[in-house]
Amino acid sequence: MTVASRWESYVPEFYVASPEMTAERVALVKSSWESIFAEGGKEALLQSFAESFYAKLFELAPMVRPLFKADIRSQARKLGFLLSTAVDILDKDVDGLVATLQALARRHHQYGARPEHYGAVGLALVWALQTALGERFDGEIRTSWVHLYSTIVSVMLPVTVSMIDEEQKVKIVNEPAVPVDT
């Protein structure tokens, strides 16, 4: 099985196989993200959003909690910064976004993130957005964010699976030979 087909076996249930980030979807993602902070105090609201995301993530996938060694508030700040940056450059620097996501996949793999965690992350993200936006979180906004997360998954999962495959190759090469009795 190729890496291309292996990573697809890990995609979340709500994954869109051919995500399209149309100009309209990009605009909906950007406007919905900014509307979360429209009532002031972006830093505090961003922190609250990210903490809400992690609470839901740990509820959905308690096995990921030990992967977070640092104070969750610090991690929440990093998540908020990453999401803000991704939303900001979504329509400006696609190559930069792809490179950022590939590097993020490598770092997350080193921290112990597994391909099967991507589903819970996506569900927690959509839940946190719905919670933050309330009634403003309509079908079009949900679809736009699902397409964005599907795009993110289509960049990050192949990197993660490729790293796992490489580790397996190294492990096989480095295993001591087993003597064969003749």
Side-chain angles (χ1 to χ4, degrees):
M1 186 180 297
T2 66
V3 169
S5 59
R6 278 188 12 83
W7 76 263
E8 291 170 340
S9 67
Y10 292 104
V11 298
E13 286 180 24
F14 58 86
Y15 176 80
V16 177
S18 297
E20 292 183 52
M21 286 310 296
T22 62
E24 180 183 350
R25 287 189 179 131
V26 168
L28 284 170
V29 164
K30 286 177 172 276
S31 65
S32 63
W33 183 249
E34 286 305 315
S35 74
I36 292 172
F37 314 110
E39 292 153 20
K42 183 172 183 172
E43 180 101 11
L45 290 169
L46 190 56
Q47 184 74 19
S48 174
F49 171 84
E51 288 177 8
S52 166
F53 162 83
Y54 282 111
K56 188 64 169 180
L57 176 62
F58 300 151
E59 176 188 319
L60 293 170
M63 77 289 284
V64 303
R65 182 63 183 103
L67 300 179
F68 295 87
K69 312 282 189 244
D71 174 37
I72 204 62
R73 288 175 298 193
S74 170
Q75 187 63 37
R77 277 190 297 281
K78 291 176 188 176
L79 172 68
F81 176 77
L82 175 70
L83 284 172
S84 290
T85 301
V87 167
D88 183 51
I89 67 172
L90 191 55
D91 59 345
K92 299 174 188 164
D93 185 9
V94 173
D95 292 338
L97 181 58
V98 167
T100 298
L101 293 172
Q102 289 170 333
L104 185 65
R106 286 188 286 278
R107 279 196 313 276
H108 278 77
H109 176 72
Q110 291 169 344
Y111 300 144
R114 304 287 305 156
E116 52 271 20
H117 298 157
Y118 282 78
V121 170
L123 289 172
L125 177 62
V126 170
W127 179 87
L129 288 163
Q130 183 174 359
T131 300
L133 291 167
E135 293 177 4
R136 296 172 291 179
F137 194 76
D138 63 16
E140 289 182 38
I141 290 174
R142 183 186 191 287
T143 297
S144 298
W145 278 96
V146 167
H147 274 258
L148 176 57
Y149 189 71
S150 296
T151 301
I152 290 168
V153 166
S154 71
V155 172
M156 292 181 69
L157 258 178
V159 172
T160 303
V161 170
S162 178
M163 291 181 74
I164 291 169
D165 288 349
E166 285 301 313
E167 289 171 352
Q168 292 300 317
K169 287 178 190 174
V170 169
K171 183 178 177 184
I172 291 169
V173 168
N174 290 333
E175 285 182 353
V178 177
V180 178
D181 292 331
T182 54

